[in-house]
Amino acid sequence: MATPQAIPGAQPVAIVCVGMAGSGKTTFMQRINSHLHSQKEPPYVINLDPAVRTVPFDSNIDIRDSVNYKEVMKSYNLGPNGGILTSLNLFATKIDQILTLLEKRTAPDPENPEKAPIKNILVDTPGQIEVFVWSASGSILLDSLSSTFPTVIAYIIDTPRTASTSTFMSNMLYACSILYKTKLPMILVFNKTDVKDAEFAKEWMTDFEAFQEALRQEEEAGSFGGMEGGGSGYMGSLLNSMSLMLEEFYSHLSVVGVSSMTGAGITEFFEAVQGKAEEFERDYKPELERKRKAREDEKIQNREKELGRLMKDMAVSGEPSSRKKPETDMDTLSDMEDDDEDEEEGDESEEGLAARYKQALADSGGEKPSNEDYSFTRYLKASQMNM
C-alpha cells in the first residue's frame, strides 16, 4: 500500500517522536524515514539527542553539529541528564534559523518548479523523555514548530513490556501527562509488534470489562504482591479507578501497532498522522491562535502601562507639575496675559513631547508582534548557525 497523499496545498506535517529509553524510538524513526524515501517523498529530519553516538539515518539538522555534549558537561560540571538539558537550552537559541530553513525547504522552489517540496518533518528526541517534554527548551521547540506547521506527537511504547495491567496503566498516565503538557494531537505507537501483538492493548483501551478481567487474573496470580490467590486490594482498586478516569482520554487518541523491524503497520501510522494533521487544523490551531492573540494583547497592555509610568515620571502626562503663580498685585494686566500665554505654550509643548515619546516607542518595537515573536525569534536574531 502507498502512503496516503497529502491534501493539495496543505502544510507539511511535523512528527515529533517521543518515548521512554528502550522503546525503539530511534529504530522507529529510521523505519518511517526509510518508508518515506521508498515513496519518493524524502522527509526533513531533525535529531535533538545530543548524547547519541550514532543514528541509523541521515539528519538534515543535528544538534551534535552545534553543541558538544561532553564539553557542556565538563564546562558546567553537569551529569548526563543536566548535560542533555543544557545542550537543548543552547540549541533552542537557534530556533529562528531552524524555522527559516524549514520554511525554505517546505516551500516550492521558484527556480526549480519540478522539485517537490518537503511534506513531512521528522523530529527525534532524547531517550530521557522528561528532559525534553518538561524542559523550557522542549516547550520552545514544540511551540515554535506548532506555530508554523501542523505538529503531531508520536508516543512510542514498548509493547512487550506493557503486557501487565500496571505497566500498561503507567504508560497511559505518562501519555496523558504529555498530551496535556504539549496540548498537541497524539498518536500512541505500540512498537515491537513482531515480538508481541498490540491487540490486547487496543482491547483494554476500548473494552473496560476486558481490562477488568485481565486485572482480576493478575490479582489472583499474586502479581501485585502477597501469596498466589491474594494480592494487594489497594493496587487493584487504584488501577480500576484509573481505567475509568482515562476513558475520555482514550477517545481523543489514535492507536497504531507497528514493528520497526519488519515495517508492519507503518502505512496505518501515516494514515493516523494525516487524520491528526486535519484535527490540528480544525481543533488545535484555533486554540493556539486564541492564546497567541491573548499574549499579544497582554504585551500591548504592558507597553501602555510602561508608557504611562514613563510619562508620569517625566511629568509629561496627566496633570502638569505644580508651579507657583506670580503674585497678581505686583504685576500689570499685560504681564499676567503674557504668563497665561506661556503656560498654554508649555502645555502644548508637553503634549507634543508625550506624542513624540509614544511615536518613538512605536518605532522601537511597539508594533503588534508577529508570528516570529511567538516562535522565540524576537530576541534570538543575533545568533548564527551553519546547517
Side-chain angles (χ1 to χ4, degrees):
M1 293 178 64
T3 302
Q5 296 296 319
I7 301 174
Q11 283 187 298
V13 181
I15 304 172
V16 182
C17 297
V18 300
M20 296 184 182
S23 62
K25 177 172 51 59
T26 300
T27 310
F28 174 74
M29 276 281 299
Q30 187 273 335
R31 173 57 66 179
I32 60 177
N33 178 47
S34 175
H35 178 80
L36 290 173
H37 275 280
S38 68
Q39 300 297 322
K40 308 299 181 184
E41 293 182 354
Y44 201 85
V45 183
I46 302 175
N47 173 44
L48 295 180
D49 190 350
V52 67
R53 290 189 176 182
T54 59
V55 289
F57 50 82
D58 293 330
S59 302
N60 299 94
I61 297 177
D62 197 325
I63 187 175
R64 296 174 298 170
D65 296 334
S66 304
V67 181
N68 189 319
Y69 166 69
K70 291 185 178 180
E71 289 299 323
V72 168
M73 290 178 60
K74 291 179 182 178
S75 300
Y76 295 95
N77 193 25
L78 299 170
N81 287 345
I84 294 174
L85 179 59
T86 304
S87 298
L88 282 170
N89 290 340
L90 294 172
F91 188 73
T93 63
K94 312 292 184 181
I95 190 63
D96 59 329
Q97 281 115 24
I98 295 172
L99 290 179
T100 299
L101 286 172
L102 291 176
E103 290 172 347
K104 182 178 180 180
R105 292 294 290 115
T106 56
D109 188 354
E111 298 180 358
N112 190 5
E114 296 180 356
K115 184 179 180 180
I118 298 297
K119 295 182 180 179
N120 293 278
I121 302 167
L122 307 182
V123 182
D124 192 17
T125 60
Q128 289 80 351
I129 186 172
E130 68 282 355
V131 171
F132 177 78
V133 174
W134 300 101
S135 65
S137 55
S139 297
I140 290 167
L141 293 166
L142 285 177
D143 290 348
S144 301
L145 270 179
S146 61
S147 68
T148 310
F149 306 101
T151 305
V152 177
I153 301 293
Y155 181 62
I156 317 301
I157 300 173
D158 188 340
T159 306
R161 295 185 178 181
T162 317
S164 69
T165 55
S166 57
T167 55
F168 170 81
M169 189 57 61
S170 298
N171 261 299
M172 293 302 102
L173 290 173
Y174 212 118
C176 181
S177 67
I178 293 173
L179 176 68
Y180 288 105
K181 174 64 171 64
T182 61
K183 297 180 177 62
L184 293 171
M186 175 183 287
I187 301 174
L188 292 186
V189 181
F190 284 90
N191 196 14
K192 305 181 183 180
T193 55
D194 54 309
V195 179
K196 183 174 180 60
D197 197 348
E199 287 302 317
F200 76 93
K202 296 179 182 179
E203 184 181 14
W204 286 353
M205 296 176 69
T206 55
D207 189 347
F208 176 73
E209 292 182 356
F211 182 81
Q212 291 274 51
E213 177 63 21
L215 181 60
R216 184 185 62 78
Q217 292 177 2
E218 290 186 10
E219 283 182 322
E220 292 179 352
S223 300
F224 302 140
M227 299 180 62
E228 186 175 348
S232 170
Y234 168 75
M235 190 66 175
S237 176
L238 178 63
L239 292 176
N240 262 328
S241 301
M242 288 180 177
S243 63
L244 287 172
M245 178 194 69
L246 292 177
E247 185 176 359
E248 181 68 18
F249 166 66
Y250 294 150
S251 64
H252 295 285
L253 295 177
S254 294
V255 183
V256 181
V258 304
S259 171
S260 298
M261 292 298 294
T262 66
I266 297 300
T267 300
E268 289 76 8
F269 169 75
F270 279 102
E271 290 175 352
V273 167
Q274 189 60 48
K276 287 299 179 182
E278 295 172 3
E279 180 182 331
F280 177 91
E281 294 288 346
R282 182 183 66 249
D283 300 331
Y284 287 81
K285 190 174 181 178
E287 179 66 12
L288 291 174
E289 293 291 341
R290 184 190 66 79
K291 291 182 178 179
R292 182 185 304 144
K293 180 65 167 55
R295 279 192 293 269
E296 291 173 354
D297 293 342
E298 184 179 357
K299 290 177 184 177
I300 294 174
Q301 292 176 3
N302 289 337
R303 280 195 294 270
E304 290 294 334
K305 291 179 181 178
E306 292 298 327
L307 177 62
R309 293 192 190 102
L310 179 63
M311 296 297 103
K312 184 177 180 180
D313 291 343
M314 302 189 67
V316 294
S317 66
E319 296 181 0
S321 56
S322 58
R323 291 179 296 180
K324 292 184 178 180
K325 294 184 179 181
E327 296 294 333
T328 55
D329 57 352
M330 298 295 295
D331 295 323
T332 62
L333 181 60
S334 60
D335 291 335
M336 294 174 62
E337 291 175 350
D338 291 340
D339 289 341
D340 292 339
E341 291 176 0
D342 291 340
E343 288 184 7
E344 292 176 0
E345 291 176 1
D347 291 341
E348 291 176 357
S349 63
E350 290 174 355
E351 292 176 358
L353 183 57
R356 288 197 296 274
Y357 268 101
K358 290 182 179 180
Q359 184 62 38
L361 183 64
D363 294 341
S364 62
E367 66 275 2
K368 184 178 180 180
S370 63
N371 287 340
E372 291 184 345
D373 290 335
Y374 178 71
S375 63
F376 195 59
T377 61
R378 59 186 180 277
Y379 53 92
L380 300 178
K381 291 186 178 178
S383 58
Q384 295 181 355
M385 178 176 66
N386 295 323
M387 296 297 178

